[in-house]
């Protein structure tokens, strides 16, 4: 498109979204009673049917940014690598390495492996390549569609681990793997289900982070609660490896992208709106402020210094005594 016609197109586009037209569209929606019921339904449905895990937009976004089939932080062999020298390709390789390390821990090659919280199916592919028999489980509709399409012969359990029909799957698996997924699972309910579906002598391989100190961020089980629940239910930790340093490069990379691109672009869009459409900017000021706060909160979650201070990322192998 030539520069003058591109400028004309942009002008036309901006003209269409004036403060008055935006307010008119919203008022029209609110005015007609036929819209009240759908609006009420939307308000009730804010988290979407099935809750956060049913269609998590954040995990979907990660899946689009890193299409290698994994949604975890990956295992970097070189923890000292600064984020400026990392690439999306290197992160995808680290995610495959993370998966391979977990498959290496599967000793029972004869019985099935439950990949609980299978994400986009990266680990399913690795398990199949090693001649193992995986079963996938996820509550997320996007992931269910993708895993079913990529691995049509792999059994799929749709839903949360806590809701798995235990009678149907009692003592069915030699191994359960929770790869960066147990943090989303209710602690007691999750343990009860894993105990029920594992064969006697079976092992649970977990890779995930735990909260170690006081923090306002709620993600991850606290390490003390987790180990107390394990002890109470007769679990033993067979091996434990702290891989916090190996996941930090990815976290630092995401943080750098947010700070270097996300924040400045948000600022640019706001300032441009203020200059080009002052009335619309005035009306949207509170919403924009709220969006900026949310972006900052998301950035704090991936601040490597905060993560290392408040959490530890572990690979655990567990069996019941
Ligand atoms: C960060 S992703 C990790 C995905 C994959 N295991 C990997 O390593 O790439 C977390 C996974 O846990 C799943 N999940 C969330 N809540 C869950 C629950 N209650 N039970 C089982 N899986 C759950 C998500 O849908 C997603 O598949």
């Amino acid at each position: 498109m030539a520069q003058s016609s591109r400028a004309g197109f942009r002008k036309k586009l901006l003209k269409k979204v004036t403060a008055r037209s935006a307010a008119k569209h919203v008022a029209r929606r609110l005015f007609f009673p036929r819209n009240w019921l759908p609006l009420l339904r939307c308000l009730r449905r804010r988290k979407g049917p099935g809750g956060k895990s049913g269609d998590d937009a954040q995990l979907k976004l990660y899946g689009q940014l890193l299409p290698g089939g994994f949604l975890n932080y990956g295992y970097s062999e070189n923890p000292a690598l600064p984020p400026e020298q990392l690439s999306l390709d290197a992160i995808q390789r680290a995610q495959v390495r993370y998966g391979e390390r977990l498959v290496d821990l599967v000793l029972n090659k004869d019985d099935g492996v439950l990949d609980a919280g299978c994400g986009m199916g990266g680990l399913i592919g690795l398990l199949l390549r090693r001649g193992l028999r995986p079963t996938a489980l996820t509550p997320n509709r996007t992931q269910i569609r993708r895993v079913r399409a990529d691995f049509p012969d792999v059994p799929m359990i749709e839903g949360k681990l806590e809701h798995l029909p235990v009678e149907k799957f009692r003592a069915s698996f030699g191994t359960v793997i929770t790869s960066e997924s147990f943090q989303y699972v209710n602690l007691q309910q999750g343990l009860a289900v894993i105990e029920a579906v594992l064969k006697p002598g079976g092992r649970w391989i977990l890779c995930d982070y735990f909260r170690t100190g006081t923090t306002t961020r709620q993600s991850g089980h606290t390490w003390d609660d987790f180990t107390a629940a394990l002890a109470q239910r007769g679990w033993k930790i067979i091996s434990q490896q702290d891989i916090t340093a190996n996941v930090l490069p990815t976290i630092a990379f995401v943080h750098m992208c947010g700070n270097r691109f996300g924040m400045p672009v948000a600022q640019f869009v706001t300032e441009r709106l203020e200059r080009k459409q002052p009335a619309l900017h005035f009306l949207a000021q509170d919403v924009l402020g709220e969006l900026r706060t949310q972006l900052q909160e998301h950035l704090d979650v991936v601040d490597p210094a905060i993560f290392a201070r408040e959490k530890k990322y572990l690979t655990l192998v567990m069996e019941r005594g």
Side-chain angles (χ1 to χ4, degrees):
M1 218 189 286
Q3 208 166 355
S4 60
S5 61
R6 208 167 34 214
F9 174 73
R10 247 194 341 248
K11 226 175 179 176
K12 242 186 197 168
L13 203 76
L14 283 171
K15 232 191 208 159
K16 276 193 177 152
V17 196
T18 60
R20 189 184 293 177
S21 73
K24 225 162 70 186
H25 286 306
V26 174
R28 204 181 289 153
R29 288 234 147 206
L30 282 173
F31 183 77
F32 290 111
R34 67 165 184 269
N35 288 331
W36 295 351
L37 200 62
L39 176 66
L40 205 67
R41 264 193 232 120
C42 291
L43 286 171
R44 277 211 205 106
R45 224 179 47 201
R46 255 171 55 112
K47 281 189 169 183
K52 188 170 182 278
S53 56
D55 209 348
D56 193 326
Q58 201 171 327
L59 289 181
K60 192 169 169 181
L61 174 68
Y62 290 158
Q64 283 162 346
L65 294 177
L66 297 162
F70 289 98
L71 300 172
N72 58 55
Y73 283 144
Y75 181 94
S76 290
E77 298 283 5
N78 179 5
L81 201 67
E84 292 79 7
Q85 288 175 28
L86 217 60
S87 63
L88 287 178
D89 192 44
I91 292 177
Q92 280 185 222
R93 279 199 307 275
Q95 290 181 315
V96 174
R97 181 80 199 99
Y98 178 109
E100 277 168 348
R101 289 182 70 259
L102 299 184
V103 182
D104 286 344
L105 295 168
V106 179
L107 296 186
N108 179 343
K109 315 277 182 198
D110 300 323
D111 294 312
V113 180
L114 176 64
D115 180 6
C118 64
M120 295 299 196
L123 193 66
I124 296 286
L126 294 184
L127 290 163
L128 287 172
R129 253 169 267 152
R130 299 269 189 107
L132 294 157
R133 286 189 296 110
T135 293
L137 177 149
T138 177
N140 183 288
R141 283 186 298 280
T142 309
Q143 297 165 17
I144 291 168
R145 275 195 298 274
R146 163 99 180 252
V147 176
R148 278 197 188 285
D150 288 353
F151 306 103
D153 297 332
V154 169
M156 161 69 75
I157 303 171
E158 297 184 12
K160 294 184 175 190
L161 181 67
E162 302 90 311
H163 301 159
L164 178 148
V166 276
E167 281 320 315
K168 187 169 166 202
F169 292 98
R170 191 171 290 283
S172 296
F173 302 101
T175 314
V176 172
I177 302 181
T178 51
S179 156
E180 210 175 281
S181 56
F182 198 71
Q183 59 177 279
Y184 300 98
V185 176
N186 175 284
L187 180 55
Q188 291 294 345
Q189 291 175 20
L191 288 175
V193 170
I194 293 172
E195 287 160 19
V197 300
L198 269 182
K199 291 190 171 194
R203 30 167 56 183
W204 172 21
I205 300 163
L206 170 151
C207 204
D208 220 322
Y209 62 76
F210 294 89
R211 281 183 275 155
T212 48
T214 42
T215 163
T216 46
R217 281 163 278 273
Q218 292 304 310
S219 69
H221 295 291
T222 66
W223 178 242
D224 289 347
D225 288 352
F226 181 74
T227 46
L230 284 186
Q232 186 209 345
R233 303 182 72 105
W235 284 90
K236 282 205 178 73
I237 296 177
I238 305 297
S239 76
Q240 171 175 334
Q241 196 189 354
D242 190 326
I243 62 163
T244 311
N246 306 87
V247 301
L248 281 181
T250 305
I251 297 179
F253 180 78
V254 176
H255 191 247
M256 179 196 73
C257 292
N259 268 325
R260 288 242 188 126
F261 305 110
M263 276 305 203
V265 168
Q267 186 65 22
F268 168 76
V269 170
T270 309
E271 284 173 8
R272 202 179 160 84
L273 188 70
E274 186 173 14
R275 205 154 45 84
K276 296 264 181 195
Q277 298 285 333
L280 188 56
H281 176 263
F282 174 77
L283 287 177
Q285 237 167 8
D286 291 346
V287 179
L288 291 171
E290 175 69 19
L291 286 176
R292 253 197 316 272
T293 311
Q294 280 192 18
L295 190 58
Q296 188 55 57
E297 278 170 12
H298 274 86
L299 279 181
D300 284 352
V301 171
V302 287
D303 182 322
I306 298 179
F307 188 94
R309 197 171 59 231
E310 299 181 346
K311 294 183 171 137
K312 61 178 174 183
Y313 205 115
L314 301 175
T315 307
L316 301 174
V317 177
M318 292 158 286
E319 288 177 8
R320 282 190 92 203

